[in-house]
Amino acid sequence: MVHGVMAWIDERIDLSGVRHFIAEKGVPVHAQKIWYYLGGMTLFLLGVQIATGILLLLYYRPSAAEAYESVQFIVTQVPFGWLIRNVHSWSANLLVAVTFAHFFSVFFLKSYRKPRELTWVSGMLLLFLMLAFGFSGYLLPWNKLSFFATKVGTGMAGAVPFVGGFFLRLLRGGDDVTGATLSRFYGLHVAILPMLTTALVAVHLLLVQRQGMSVPLLVEQELKAGTPLRQMPFFPNYVLRDLLAWYVALAILAALALFYPWELGDKADAFAAVPPGIRPEWYFLAMFHTLKLLPSHILGVEGERLGVVVYGAVAVFLVVVPFLDRRASRGQRSPLFTAVAVAGLVYFVVFTILGRYTG
Ligand code: HEM
């Protein structure tokens, strides 16, 4: 049956190129091969987000008057609505965590070195998009915590020099966080970000397929010395391993959704007192805590403003890392960039923990 359908399609659009590609594609086998699974896991969780997000969309209402009530309706009245919302919330957090893990693993392995610079750049933009998904989605249930956290978060955007005021009003749809902000965040979350993400994931995966998987520098040196490359067939050997990992991830997601339901909290109220312990999602905590620790003025410049500028510079630095690390592109070790990655990882972990427990 499947064979017949394939033959029918093959007669109309020649699939021999695709068949040949799948039959020939191999995945390198070496001590670091475990890290190859993270990109596929990111892709899987993104798929879970799209599927559950579309289901939530059928009942969610993006207005200040109805958003909170519609989420309440989803989790109490809609059959399996609670499961879909819990999986969407948990999977969002796992997605960001796995994207960070993928980012750090390719950083440490220097997979960004020539000729994979553009794979890195597209990946880095995807990481920013994942963070934007998290930031915009946080406000959608329109509860107290997300309302006030969005006030603080968009306030930080206002600290960007020169264009901060414009940026703040663009995000909020006015001077304050209101129903207009909710409409904008909704548009971002369900239309603009998915569109950009789809395009970038397509570019990212196309590049990965064109170039094949990189091997660590050490393995590359052995290859140059004449050691043959050990590979495993992509189909079915590697695909089956990927599927197994996704199956385990699905089981973990289901367990989390069942045993740790995502809280909805109280409905947002612009006139209520700011509740204690306002903080953003965990992946913004390091930045949030750093900005909080800065003195009000540094060398005559507002501390928060300076912090936001430094964060912007770090983001630009991360995008262009492959073009700065020339040693790695020449196939040499580049301890300076390894040190940068270690420092970044330690800073991120320590400040996230500090932000969580001392904020
Ligand atoms: C939505 C986010 C992302 C998705 C869906 C995704 C997906 C993938 C997949 C499926 C692979 C092939 C398997 C693997 O090497 O793990 C891959 C490879 C790669 N990704 Fe990503 N990725 C994402 C984000 C990122 C980020 C944030 C970076 C780093 C800035 C990045 C950089 C790379 C690089 C350099 C490779 C090539 C690795 C090699 O050839 O060894 N990706 N990605």
Side-chain angles (χ1 to χ4, degrees):
M1 169 74 180
V2 176
H3 192 76
V5 173
M6 290 311 286
W8 190 90
I9 297 174
D10 209 5
E11 260 183 308
R12 281 144 187 92
I13 40 169
D14 181 16
L15 292 177
S16 58
V18 179
R19 260 201 314 272
H20 186 250
F21 174 76
I22 292 175
E24 291 293 304
K25 186 174 161 62
V27 178
V29 176
H30 50 76
Q32 305 298 331
K33 62 181 187 304
I34 182 88
W35 304 112
Y36 289 152
Y37 289 98
L38 290 174
M41 186 59 78
T42 313
L43 196 60
F44 170 68
L45 292 171
L46 194 61
V48 171
Q49 285 312 91
I50 295 169
T52 50
I54 290 173
L55 290 176
L56 290 173
L57 207 67
L58 303 179
Y59 290 94
Y60 176 76
R61 292 165 184 250
S63 77
E66 291 183 301
Y68 180 84
E69 286 76 5
S70 69
V71 178
Q72 223 168 21
F73 182 78
I74 289 171
V75 294
T76 57
Q77 306 295 320
V78 178
F80 295 104
W82 60 272
L83 182 65
I84 300 300
R85 174 175 186 249
N86 286 345
V87 168
H88 194 74
S89 308
W90 273 112
S91 172
N93 282 273
L94 288 189
L95 172 58
V96 174
V98 176
T99 313
F100 267 116
H102 177 48
F103 156 75
F104 275 113
S105 71
V106 291
F107 202 155
F108 279 115
L109 286 169
K110 314 280 165 67
S111 311
Y112 51 67
R113 66 190 187 277
K114 190 180 165 191
R116 293 182 178 75
E117 296 94 330
L118 294 177
T119 316
W120 169 275
V121 172
S122 59
M124 207 58 236
L125 298 179
L126 279 168
L127 178 59
F128 297 148
L129 284 176
M130 296 304 110
L131 296 178
F133 262 120
F135 187 62
S136 53
Y138 196 43
L139 181 68
L140 299 187
W142 200 246
N143 58 26
K144 258 192 192 147
L145 204 67
S146 66
F147 176 83
F148 285 104
T150 304
K151 247 177 130 88
V152 177
T154 47
M156 284 174 186
V160 176
F162 310 116
V163 289
F166 167 75
F167 216 50
L168 181 137
R169 279 188 296 281
L170 183 71
L171 277 175
R172 289 185 177 174
D175 288 326
D176 240 317
V177 175
T178 61
T181 321
L182 183 61
S183 300
R184 285 179 183 218
F185 276 39
Y186 178 70
L188 261 179
H189 197 78
V190 308
I192 298 172
L193 296 176
M195 195 173 63
L196 294 175
T197 303
T198 308
L200 271 171
V201 167
V203 170
H204 197 67
L205 296 185
L206 191 75
L207 289 168
V208 170
Q209 296 313 321
R210 288 291 298 191
Q211 298 170 331
M213 301 307 301
S214 74
V215 290
L217 275 168
L218 219 63
V219 178
E220 197 171 81
Q221 279 157 9
E222 285 170 12
L223 292 180
K224 278 186 189 149
T227 316
L229 176 64
R230 285 179 57 214
Q231 292 212 85
M232 118 179 20
F234 176 71
F235 189 83
N237 304 41
Y238 188 75
V239 169
L240 286 176
R241 284 170 170 78
D242 246 348
L243 282 178
L244 185 65
W246 295 0
Y247 189 63
V248 172
L250 197 61
I252 294 174
L253 265 181
L256 286 171
L258 190 62
F259 296 117
Y260 300 97
W262 210 257
E263 275 199 32
L264 180 56
D266 301 323
K267 185 173 175 171
D269 176 1
F271 301 108
V274 180
I278 282 297
R279 62 169 82 89
E281 294 272 69
W282 62 268
Y283 35 89
F284 292 121
L285 274 178
M287 180 171 80
F288 181 68
H289 193 63
T290 309
L291 294 179
K292 234 167 82 173
L293 286 184
L294 291 175
S296 68
H297 281 85
I298 305 168
L299 302 170
V301 184
E302 235 177 275
E304 192 184 37
R305 198 173 289 265
L306 199 66
V308 169
V309 171
V310 171
Y311 254 93
V314 169
V316 173
F317 167 78
L318 288 176
V319 172
V320 298
V321 156
F323 307 100
L324 301 175
D325 189 357
R326 302 317 303 165
R327 285 179 63 87
S329 282
R330 286 197 296 266
Q332 296 165 341
R333 298 182 59 212
S334 53
L336 179 64
F337 282 82
T338 308
V340 168
V342 172
L345 181 58
V346 170
Y347 160 77
F348 185 72
V349 172
V350 170
F351 272 67
T352 302
I353 295 171
L354 286 177
R356 175 73 185 79
Y357 294 103
T358 65

